[in-house]
Amino acid sequence: PGLTAAAILQKNQDESNANNSNNNSSSASGETSSNNNDTKVIFTDYNPAVLENLKQNIELNEFDVSHEVYGLDWFHQQPAGHNDDDEDRAGVMKREENIYVERKANTWVDTEGKSHDQLKLILGADLIVCSNDSDLVAHTLDASLAEGGMAVILGASADRRFGVADFPNSCRELGMKVDVEENILEAREDGGEKLMEELEMGGYNQRACTFGHDFTMFTIHKPVVSSM
């Protein structure tokens, strides 16, 4: 899914550059940046093998948009008090090394303990598998999504994955707004053909649909909170 989004972003940027050459007009692409030079794609996963595969795929696809690849652990994005061992500590225990990862406010932290600024747009797929993933993913979005930002999460339907049904409420409890679109392939006029084409750009195997599986899409908005 990350490479799918990246491929679409790169296509949009190529079209934008062509428009700039032909029409002398400017067009922003990507994360609602003011210009193309501000666009950056960040790929994340927890599994080191997947991260290496991401890097290889980026190189093989000659992806030339500014990008970074980071390890991401949802447990590291939880708020203070989420960890029962130390309720007053701002952060959570890094499980492998048995040390604490300190996360500053309005940032997310990678698996190396480095903090990063919040993002304007987050795309994710097949994130929710276990029952507790709904809370973990919601808190991760809250930590990593900037105010006014949007996340689009694509995954299996609630009858195929634990935690999917609880995910909207987990996000709403943190003040985020959630729109839910179920059976998105069935609901589309083209039967989801265009969506499947875009998914297949990232290597998605269509056999899931062959067996009658459909998808649920969550669109999450983080409201801007007035400082006054």
Side-chain angles (χ1 to χ4, degrees), residues 2-201:
L3 285 176
T4 299
I8 295 171
L9 176 58
Q10 187 168 28
K11 178 182 177 183
N12 289 341
Q13 180 163 328
D14 292 341
E15 292 174 352
S16 174
N17 290 339
N19 288 335
N20 289 344
S21 299
N22 296 331
N23 303 324
N24 294 321
S25 61
S26 61
S27 174
S29 65
E31 299 181 34
T32 60
S33 304
S34 59
N35 57 68
N36 287 330
N37 293 331
D38 292 338
T39 300
K40 176 180 284 190
V41 178
I42 296 176
F43 301 92
T44 64
D45 199 274
Y46 174 71
N47 191 320
V50 174
L51 294 173
E52 286 302 315
N53 189 49
L54 274 171
K55 293 176 182 178
Q56 293 178 21
N57 284 338
I58 290 169
E59 183 176 353
L60 289 172
N61 284 276
E62 299 180 347
F63 182 61
D64 60 2
V65 174
S66 178
H67 63 274
E68 301 286 350
V69 178
Y70 297 115
L72 177 67
D73 189 335
W74 295 337
F75 284 91
H76 295 175
Q77 320 309 320
Q78 306 310 300
H82 186 84
N83 181 26
D84 294 336
D85 294 333
D86 192 341
E87 294 186 357
D88 296 326
R89 196 72 178 267
V92 295
M93 182 172 287
K94 193 171 183 179
R95 291 170 290 172
E96 297 84 354
E97 293 83 0
N98 201 35
I99 61 173
Y100 277 92
V101 174
E102 303 291 347
R103 182 173 62 81
K104 300 176 183 178
N106 300 321
T107 65
W108 59 279
V109 64
D110 63 32
T111 50
E112 299 299 321
K114 181 181 177 182
S115 294
H116 301 272
D117 292 337
Q118 292 178 322
L119 309 169
K120 299 175 184 177
L121 174 65
I122 296 175
L123 305 178
D126 216 13
L127 303 181
I128 303 170
V129 178
C130 303
S131 57
N132 65 330
D133 286 344
S134 58
D135 285 337
L136 290 171
V137 174
H139 279 293
T140 298
L141 289 176
D142 189 44
S144 56
L145 190 62
E147 290 185 1
M150 179 179 73
V152 179
I153 308 300
L154 179 69
S157 301
D159 59 346
R160 299 287 179 178
R161 293 285 190 274
F162 294 108
V164 172
D166 298 327
F167 180 60
N169 284 339
S170 296
C171 291
R172 289 168 183 146
E173 287 176 357
L174 296 173
M176 293 179 282
K177 299 180 179 179
V178 185
D179 293 321
V180 182
E181 185 180 356
E182 298 179 326
N183 300 319
I184 61 174
L185 297 182
E186 179 183 337
R188 280 164 166 71
E189 292 181 0
D190 64 352
E193 290 184 8
K194 182 177 180 181
L195 175 61
M196 288 308 305
E197 287 177 2
E198 293 177 348
L199 289 173
E200 286 169 0
M201 289 170 62

